[in-house]
mmCIF file with all atom_site columns, all heavy atoms in Angstrom:
data_model
loop_
_atom_site.group_PDB
_atom_site.id
_atom_site.type_symbol
_atom_site.label_atom_id
_atom_site.label_alt_id
_atom_site.label_comp_id
_atom_site.label_asym_id
_atom_site.label_entity_id
_atom_site.label_seq_id
_atom_site.pdbx_PDB_ins_code
_atom_site.Cartn_x
_atom_site.Cartn_y
_atom_site.Cartn_z
_atom_site.occupancy
_atom_site.B_iso_or_equiv
_atom_site.pdbx_formal_charge
_atom_site.auth_seq_id
_atom_site.auth_comp_id
_atom_site.auth_asym_id
_atom_site.auth_atom_id
_atom_site.pdbx_PDB_model_num
ATOM 1  N N   . THR S 1 105 ? -131.760 22.540 -101.662 1.00 96.00 ? 177 THR S N   1
ATOM 2  C CA  . THR S 1 105 ? -131.342 21.434 -100.806 1.00 96.00 ? 177 THR S CA  1
ATOM 3  C C   . THR S 1 105 ? -132.549 20.877 -100.053 1.00 96.00 ? 177 THR S C   1
ATOM 4  O O   . THR S 1 105 ? -133.610 21.513 -99.991  1.00 96.00 ? 177 THR S O   1
ATOM 5  C CB  . THR S 1 105 ? -130.292 21.895 -99.780  1.00 96.00 ? 177 THR S CB  1
ATOM 6  O OG1 . THR S 1 105 ? -130.920 22.815 -98.865  1.00 96.00 ? 177 THR S OG1 1
ATOM 7  C CG2 . THR S 1 105 ? -129.117 22.573 -100.462 1.00 96.00 ? 177 THR S CG2 1
ATOM 8  N N   . LYS S 1 106 ? -132.364 19.702 -99.465  1.00 96.00 ? 178 LYS S N   1
ATOM 9  C CA  . LYS S 1 106 ? -133.468 19.101 -98.700  1.00 96.00 ? 178 LYS S CA  1
ATOM 10 C C   . LYS S 1 106 ? -133.872 19.999 -97.527  1.00 96.00 ? 178 LYS S C   1
ATOM 11 O O   . LYS S 1 106 ? -135.057 20.099 -97.189  1.00 96.00 ? 178 LYS S O   1
ATOM 12 C CB  . LYS S 1 106 ? -133.075 17.710 -98.199  1.00 96.00 ? 178 LYS S CB  1
ATOM 13 C CG  . LYS S 1 106 ? -131.888 17.692 -97.244  1.00 96.00 ? 178 LYS S CG  1
ATOM 14 C CD  . LYS S 1 106 ? -131.531 16.273 -96.813  1.00 96.00 ? 178 LYS S CD  1
ATOM 15 C CE  . LYS S 1 106 ? -130.356 16.258 -95.833  1.00 96.00 ? 178 LYS S CE  1
ATOM 16 N NZ  . LYS S 1 106 ? -129.971 14.882 -95.438  1.00 96.00 ? 178 LYS S NZ  1
ATOM 17 N N   . LYS S 1 107 ? -132.893 20.668 -96.934  1.00 96.00 ? 179 LYS S N   1
ATOM 18 C CA  . LYS S 1 107 ? -133.192 21.548 -95.810  1.00 96.00 ? 179 LYS S CA  1
ATOM 19 C C   . LYS S 1 107 ? -133.991 22.758 -96.273  1.00 96.00 ? 179 LYS S C   1
ATOM 20 O O   . LYS S 1 107 ? -134.944 23.189 -95.604  1.00 96.00 ? 179 LYS S O   1
ATOM 21 C CB  . LYS S 1 107 ? -131.906 21.998 -95.131  1.00 96.00 ? 179 LYS S CB  1
ATOM 22 C CG  . LYS S 1 107 ? -132.123 22.802 -93.854  1.00 96.00 ? 179 LYS S CG  1
ATOM 23 C CD  . LYS S 1 107 ? -130.811 23.110 -93.148  1.00 96.00 ? 179 LYS S CD  1
ATOM 24 C CE  . LYS S 1 107 ? -131.049 23.882 -91.852  1.00 96.00 ? 179 LYS S CE  1
ATOM 25 N NZ  . LYS S 1 107 ? -129.771 24.183 -91.144  1.00 96.00 ? 179 LYS S NZ  1
ATOM 26 N N   . GLU S 1 108 ? -133.602 23.304 -97.429  1.00 97.00 ? 180 GLU S N   1
ATOM 27 C CA  . GLU S 1 108 ? -134.329 24.461 -97.970  1.00 97.00 ? 180 GLU S CA  1
ATOM 28 C C   . GLU S 1 108 ? -135.768 24.079 -98.305  1.00 97.00 ? 180 GLU S C   1
ATOM 29 O O   . GLU S 1 108 ? -136.715 24.802 -97.956  1.00 97.00 ? 180 GLU S O   1
ATOM 30 C CB  . GLU S 1 108 ? -133.613 24.990 -99.211  1.00 97.00 ? 180 GLU S CB  1
ATOM 31 C CG  . GLU S 1 108 ? -132.310 25.716 -98.908  1.00 97.00 ? 180 GLU S CG  1
ATOM 32 C CD  . GLU S 1 108 ? -131.560 26.096 -100.169 1.00 97.00 ? 180 GLU S CD  1
ATOM 33 O OE1 . GLU S 1 108 ? -131.579 25.308 -101.151 1.00 97.00 ? 180 GLU S OE1 1
ATOM 34 O OE2 . GLU S 1 108 ? -130.953 27.184 -100.187 1.00 97.00 ? 180 GLU S OE2 1
ATOM 35 N N   . LEU S 1 109 ? -135.943 22.939 -98.990  1.00 97.00 ? 181 LEU S N   1
ATOM 36 C CA  . LEU S 1 109 ? -137.293 22.502 -99.359  1.00 97.00 ? 181 LEU S CA  1
ATOM 37 C C   . LEU S 1 109 ? -138.154 22.259 -98.122  1.00 97.00 ? 181 LEU S C   1
ATOM 38 O O   . LEU S 1 109 ? -139.336 22.624 -98.097  1.00 97.00 ? 181 LEU S O   1
ATOM 39 C CB  . LEU S 1 109 ? -137.223 21.228 -100.207 1.00 97.00 ? 181 LEU S CB  1
ATOM 40 C CG  . LEU S 1 109 ? -136.652 21.371 -101.618 1.00 97.00 ? 181 LEU S CG  1
ATOM 41 C CD1 . LEU S 1 109 ? -136.667 20.027 -102.326 1.00 97.00 ? 181 LEU S CD1 1
ATOM 42 C CD2 . LEU S 1 109 ? -137.396 22.410 -102.435 1.00 97.00 ? 181 LEU S CD2 1
ATOM 43 N N   . ALA S 1 110 ? -137.554 21.661 -97.108  1.00 97.00 ? 182 ALA S N   1
ATOM 44 C CA  . ALA S 1 110 ? -138.302 21.347 -95.887  1.00 97.00 ? 182 ALA S CA  1
ATOM 45 C C   . ALA S 1 110 ? -138.819 22.601 -95.195  1.00 97.00 ? 182 ALA S C   1
ATOM 46 O O   . ALA S 1 110 ? -139.823 22.551 -94.470  1.00 97.00 ? 182 ALA S O   1
ATOM 47 C CB  . ALA S 1 110 ? -137.432 20.540 -94.933  1.00 97.00 ? 182 ALA S CB  1
ATOM 48 N N   . ASN S 1 111 ? -138.162 23.729 -95.431  1.00 96.00 ? 183 ASN S N   1
ATOM 49 C CA  . ASN S 1 111 ? -138.545 24.977 -94.767  1.00 96.00 ? 183 ASN S CA  1
ATOM 50 C C   . ASN S 1 111 ? -139.436 25.873 -95.613  1.00 96.00 ? 183 ASN S C   1
ATOM 51 O O   . ASN S 1 111 ? -139.866 26.930 -95.151  1.00 96.00 ? 183 ASN S O   1
ATOM 52 C CB  . ASN S 1 111 ? -137.289 25.749 -94.348  1.00 96.00 ? 183 ASN S CB  1
ATOM 53 C CG  . ASN S 1 111 ? -136.563 25.081 -93.195  1.00 96.00 ? 183 ASN S CG  1
ATOM 54 O OD1 . ASN S 1 111 ? -137.192 24.516 -92.306  1.00 96.00 ? 183 ASN S OD1 1
ATOM 55 N ND2 . ASN S 1 111 ? -135.238 25.132 -93.210  1.00 96.00 ? 183 ASN S ND2 1
ATOM 56 N N   . PHE S 1 112 ? -139.713 25.461 -96.858  1.00 97.00 ? 184 PHE S N   1
ATOM 57 C CA  . PHE S 1 112 ? -140.570 26.254 -97.738  1.00 97.00 ? 184 PHE S CA  1
ATOM 58 C C   . PHE S 1 112 ? -142.014 25.772 -97.642  1.00 97.00 ? 184 PHE S C   1
ATOM 59 O O   . PHE S 1 112 ? -142.348 24.684 -98.120  1.00 97.00 ? 184 PHE S O   1
ATOM 60 C CB  . PHE S 1 112 ? -140.098 26.163 -99.190  1.00 97.00 ? 184 PHE S CB  1
ATOM 61 C CG  . PHE S 1 112 ? -138.996 27.110 -99.561  1.00 97.00 ? 184 PHE S CG  1
ATOM 62 C CD1 . PHE S 1 112 ? -137.756 26.625 -99.938  1.00 97.00 ? 184 PHE S CD1 1
ATOM 63 C CD2 . PHE S 1 112 ? -139.189 28.489 -99.549  1.00 97.00 ? 184 PHE S CD2 1
ATOM 64 C CE1 . PHE S 1 112 ? -136.736 27.486 -100.291 1.00 97.00 ? 184 PHE S CE1 1
ATOM 65 C CE2 . PHE S 1 112 ? -138.174 29.357 -99.896  1.00 97.00 ? 184 PHE S CE2 1
ATOM 66 C CZ  . PHE S 1 112 ? -136.937 28.861 -100.269 1.00 97.00 ? 184 PHE S CZ  1
ATOM 67 N N   . VAL S 1 113 ? -142.875 26.571 -97.042  1.00 96.00 ? 185 VAL S N   1
ATOM 68 C CA  . VAL S 1 113 ? -144.296 26.237 -96.966  1.00 96.00 ? 185 VAL S CA  1
ATOM 69 C C   . VAL S 1 113 ? -144.875 26.101 -98.373  1.00 96.00 ? 185 VAL S C   1
ATOM 70 O O   . VAL S 1 113 ? -145.683 25.208 -98.657  1.00 96.00 ? 185 VAL S O   1
ATOM 71 C CB  . VAL S 1 113 ? -145.070 27.318 -96.180  1.00 96.00 ? 185 VAL S CB  1
ATOM 72 C CG1 . VAL S 1 113 ? -146.575 27.071 -96.251  1.00 96.00 ? 185 VAL S CG1 1
ATOM 73 C CG2 . VAL S 1 113 ? -144.608 27.354 -94.731  1.00 96.00 ? 185 VAL S CG2 1
ATOM 74 N N   . LYS S 1 114 ? -144.437 26.978 -99.271  1.00 97.00 ? 186 LYS S N   1
ATOM 75 C CA  . LYS S 1 114 ? -144.952 26.998 -100.640 1.00 97.00 ? 186 LYS S CA  1
ATOM 76 C C   . LYS S 1 114 ? -144.607 25.716 -101.399 1.00 97.00 ? 186 LYS S C   1
ATOM 77 O O   . LYS S 1 114 ? -145.374 25.272 -102.269 1.00 97.00 ? 186 LYS S O   1
ATOM 78 C CB  . LYS S 1 114 ? -144.368 28.219 -101.375 1.00 97.00 ? 186 LYS S CB  1
ATOM 79 C CG  . LYS S 1 114 ? -144.827 28.389 -102.803 1.00 97.00 ? 186 LYS S CG  1
ATOM 80 C CD  . LYS S 1 114 ? -146.320 28.629 -102.925 1.00 97.00 ? 186 LYS S CD  1
ATOM 81 C CE  . LYS S 1 114 ? -146.693 28.885 -104.372 1.00 97.00 ? 186 LYS S CE  1
ATOM 82 N NZ  . LYS S 1 114 ? -148.115 28.700 -104.634 1.00 97.00 ? 186 LYS S NZ  1
#
Side-chain angles (χ1 to χ4, degrees):
T177 67
K178 62 181 181 182
K179 186 175 182 180
E180 288 174 323
L181 291 181
N183 289 324
F184 276 116
V185 173
K186 181 63 176 162

